[in-house]
Amino acid sequence: MSTVKEQKMEKLETKREMYHLIINGERVESVSGETFTTYNPATGEPVAEVAKGTKEDAERAIQAARQAFDYGKWRHFPVNKRARILNKIASIMRSRFNELVELEILDTGKALTAAQGQVMQAIEDFEFYASAIVGHRGTVNNMPGAFHNFTEKEPVGVCAQIIPWNYPLMMAAWKIAPAIAAGCSVVVKPASLTPLTCIVLAEICHEAGVPEGVVNVVTGSGSEVGNYLVEHPFVDKVAFTGSTPVGKNIMEKASKTLKRVTLELGGKSPNIIFEDADIDAAVNGSLFGIFYNTGQSCEARSRLYVHESVYDQFMEKFVEKTKKLKLGNPFEQDTHVGAIISREQLEVVDGYVKSAIEEGATIVTGGKEAKVEGFENGFWYEPTIIADVNHQMKVVKEEIFGPVVVVMKFNDEKEVIKLANDSKYGLGSAIWTKDHARAIRVAKQIQAGIVMINSPFSAFPGTPFGGYKQSGFGRELCIETLDLYTETKSILSYYGSRPLNPFGV
Ligand code: TAP
């Protein structure tokens, strides 16, 4: 067993045959010695073998994280030193940019430009928290008489971080960066379908100088490893990104030990095109809003509401451009839409489309599995637009998590706000209008954590990301995230010269 530091991984080979768990600064096999295979969704071919963690491995990782937090030096490092190490992580990631992009594409089948953007954002996330932690501090409060009170931000402890398959590296960065910036130790459980870049990120953390035990990664199933982390009394906080049903289950189980919980869950985000919108910009933004990352985005703008006066004009361009989107080799710069993560997910997507047809909707374009030359064994789905739908249909109510958008007409601002809010979710939303006053008025009434006005992009490091309603709670990617990885300690002292005797006895 060799340690990460010993292996001096200045130059990672792009892809290894075997990926290990990272526990206490070491690459280790699982206790059982078992492995599982991760596949390239674009080709259906195996990418690598991965150690299959179990409860025993989760236990080892929790013990390592606990030891590092309770007796280690990371949380006691001067904040500038932690910040320097976060910047070093970012700089190693930059120097390995292409390797990380390649690995992410192999593991997810996503298009090159998407992978590049996401790896870059993961890097910038470490840089953001390197700066943000320096300014994250407590307060001095006004006190009566000879009392002095100040607060300190202390790291919350050992954090279990459970991440999904749609943005494997970026989600890992969104979680690891603020947690370790704050001085916490983490045990990360990547999604079983896409574990590779998270493992490499943990190795990079060690190479940059994060002490052993602070960043641990245990791959393995959510029902075993994830659940064990959530229930373990030594874990102080759970940060989860994934589906709403699993999020609810985690919240319930975490309540037994009153863990701090943050949940980033599903979405069914509305995208509203007003009659005064710049139609070309709205078409381009709506295309990106739903088909980026093959529609496998929690904030995918999957419910499109178009004002009836511009509906035909908008749809003509939107449909035409959707048909032009290129599905193909994910490694090519001009590929727009990558593969679906798995055969199972493809069938889920197709099931939703079939349900829409059964309920009387119209498939405007797409609507079936795509055949991509040279990638016949991969999992591909045609970018799909569905019209003639209503709010009673499954395809309008539920998150599909694929390249499928439903389109509806509206004729009045009040009506569309009501429709937009008629969802159990409240993550993203988008508004297209040239009327600034309307944009702000509508934005304030939308029940969602994120409102994009004339913007295809939902977030940059610094912008809070998270949901209302059943899209979860807690915000990531922003300064406030640091509050979710810290406790506030109030320190009250009396400095008067007269001894106090409150009971007067
Ligand atoms: P999930 O099935 O919920 O899985 C997410 C993670 O939880 C995976 O690592 C999974 O492990 C693990 N897990 C599964 N069951 C568990 C349990 N009982 N206890 C603890 N952990 C468990 O979601 P997914 O299919 O990977 O991701 C898609 C969903 O994530 C969508 O609903 C999407 O909207 C949401 N999402 C939300 C956001 C934000 S920021 N709101 C971002 C990305 C994705 P396995 O992989 O081993 O099953």
Side-chain angles (χ1 to χ4, degrees):
M1 199 187 292
S2 54
T3 70
V4 168
K5 273 174 274 177
E6 275 165 13
Q7 293 195 6
K8 289 209 175 63
M9 287 177 286
E10 291 96 297
K11 179 84 185 79
L12 266 178
E13 61 278 39
T14 297
K15 179 174 87 67
R16 304 196 286 265
E17 302 273 302
M18 174 73 201
Y19 288 80
H20 293 87
L21 313 177
I22 306 292
I23 299 179
N24 212 22
E26 294 181 330
R27 280 181 181 168
V28 294
E29 291 182 0
S30 64
V31 169
S32 70
E34 282 186 45
T35 63
F36 65 97
T37 310
T38 176
Y39 291 88
N40 178 348
T43 61
E45 286 165 6
V47 178
E49 283 300 296
V50 183
K52 187 174 176 189
T54 59
K55 284 180 190 165
E56 286 74 25
D57 301 300
E59 179 66 34
R60 285 196 293 169
I62 293 167
Q63 294 292 348
R66 194 75 251 171
Q67 181 78 15
F69 186 78
D70 291 342
Y71 306 108
K73 51 195 175 185
W74 179 248
R75 61 181 291 202
H76 302 295
F77 275 179
V79 74
N80 288 342
K81 185 167 175 184
R82 285 209 302 269
R84 255 197 322 274
I85 293 174
L86 263 79
N87 274 324
K88 179 98 189 280
I89 294 169
S91 105
I92 297 171
M93 290 171 81
R94 271 182 201 281
S95 70
R96 293 180 172 173
F97 181 78
N98 288 337
E99 298 166 15
L100 290 169
V101 168
E102 196 172 334
L103 203 53
E104 194 76 324
I105 294 173
L106 288 173
D107 217 11
T108 62
K110 65 178 69 200
L112 176 66
T113 49
Q116 286 172 328
Q118 290 160 27
V119 172
M120 188 50 77
Q121 214 220 62
I123 294 169
E124 289 172 354
D125 213 34
F126 279 94
E127 291 167 342
F128 172 76
Y129 284 109
S131 302
I133 193 62
V134 176
H136 189 247
R137 54 179 184 258
T139 54
V140 178
N141 300 308
N142 292 332
M143 287 292 111
F147 288 96
H148 175 62
N149 175 240
F150 66 99
T151 64
E152 282 200 336
K153 298 282 185 185
E154 293 186 351
V156 81
V158 173
C159 305
Q161 304 187 311
I162 303 175
I163 53 183
W165 46 256
N166 58 342
Y167 297 102
L169 182 69
M170 207 174 85
M171 287 296 117
W174 280 24
K175 294 207 169 4
I176 296 173
I180 66 172
C184 296
S185 301
V186 301
V187 180
V188 190
K189 205 227 64 83
S192 297
L193 291 168
T194 57
L196 303 186
T197 47
C198 178
I199 294 171
V200 174
L201 175 59
E203 294 173 350
I204 289 174
C205 289
H206 290 96
E207 193 187 328
V210 174
E212 59 197 29
V214 173
V215 177
N216 306 275
V217 177
V218 183
T219 48
S221 80
S223 53
E224 181 170 351
V225 174
N227 193 47
Y228 193 77
L229 295 174
V230 170
E231 292 190 327
H232 202 291
F234 281 8
V235 173
D236 302 296
K237 173 186 163 91
V238 180
F240 170 77
T241 297
S243 60
T244 296
V246 175
K248 287 181 182 175
N249 181 281
I250 284 177
M251 192 168 163
E252 199 182 323
K253 291 198 169 132
S255 73
K256 305 240 163 54
T257 41
L258 274 187
K259 290 181 177 38
R260 280 81 185 115
V261 176
T262 45
L263 302 173
E264 301 277 9
L265 308 176
K268 188 78 187 176
S269 302
N271 184 18
I272 306 171
I273 319 296
F274 282 103
E275 64 276 25
D276 62 349
D278 174 333
I279 296 296
D280 289 324
V283 166
N284 294 338
S286 304
L287 267 189
F288 187 81
I290 181 62
F291 298 124
Y292 171 71
N293 213 48
T294 320
Q296 302 169 130
S297 297
C298 46
E299 91 292 14
R301 277 125 277 164
S302 51
R303 284 187 290 145
L304 186 47
Y305 299 95
V306 187
H307 192 274
E308 59 184 9
S309 66
V310 293
Y311 184 85
D312 291 343
Q313 187 193 354
F314 176 89
M315 283 298 275
E316 193 187 327
K317 294 184 178 189
F318 186 55
V319 174
E320 189 194 323
K321 289 206 172 190
T322 299
K323 287 180 178 165
K324 280 192 188 154
L325 292 176
K326 185 183 160 203
L327 281 69
N329 186 346
F331 283 98
E332 285 176 5
Q333 198 76 37
D334 62 348
T335 293
H336 301 110
V337 181
I340 299 269
I341 195 70
S342 63
R343 167 64 49 194
E344 290 70 30
Q345 184 63 16
L346 192 149
E347 272 154 23
V348 168
V349 172
D350 195 48
Y352 274 110
V353 172
K354 291 207 166 94
S355 82
I357 297 168
E358 278 160 24
E359 289 183 286
T362 305
I363 308 300
V364 180
T365 183
K368 59 181 189 310
E369 190 171 346
K371 294 288 160 220
V372 178
E373 208 186 318
F375 293 86
E376 286 77 8
N377 294 323
F379 320 124
W380 301 85
Y381 205 82
E382 293 179 349
T384 299
I385 302 174
I386 307 182
D388 301 322
V389 294
N390 62 55
H391 273 229
Q392 276 65 56
M393 292 181 179
K394 238 175 99 173
V395 80
V396 176
K397 286 199 286 203
E398 296 180 17
E399 182 181 48
I400 299 175
F401 227 55
V404 180
V405 65
V406 293
V407 196
M408 288 160 275
K409 283 183 199 170
F410 72 94
N411 62 18
D412 159 72
E413 185 179 305
K414 275 207 178 94
E415 175 204 5
V416 79
I417 291 169
K418 206 165 162 215
L419 288 168
N421 289 338
D422 179 27
S423 170
K424 67 178 177 184
Y425 294 115
L427 187 58
S429 60
I431 300 168
W432 299 86
T433 174
K434 287 186 195 141
D435 180 343
H436 184 67
R438 165 186 269 166
I440 300 299
R441 186 170 65 235
V442 175
K444 282 172 173 269
Q445 293 176 79
I446 300 264
Q447 295 161 355
I450 302 152
V451 184
M452 293 155 253
I453 299 175
N454 299 326
S455 167
F457 305 119
S458 59
F460 298 95
T463 48
F465 196 101
Y468 281 25
K469 302 196 274 188
Q470 293 193 31
S471 290
F473 48 80
R475 295 293 178 268
E476 293 191 308
L477 198 63
C478 58
I479 288 181
E480 291 90 324
T481 314
L482 292 172
D483 290 332
L484 304 174
Y485 283 102
T486 47
E487 299 281 12
T488 300
K489 178 174 279 175
S490 168
I491 299 176
L492 178 73
S493 63
Y494 171 67
Y495 59 85
S497 49
R498 188 171 54 86
L500 298 179
N501 182 9
F503 274 141
V505 290

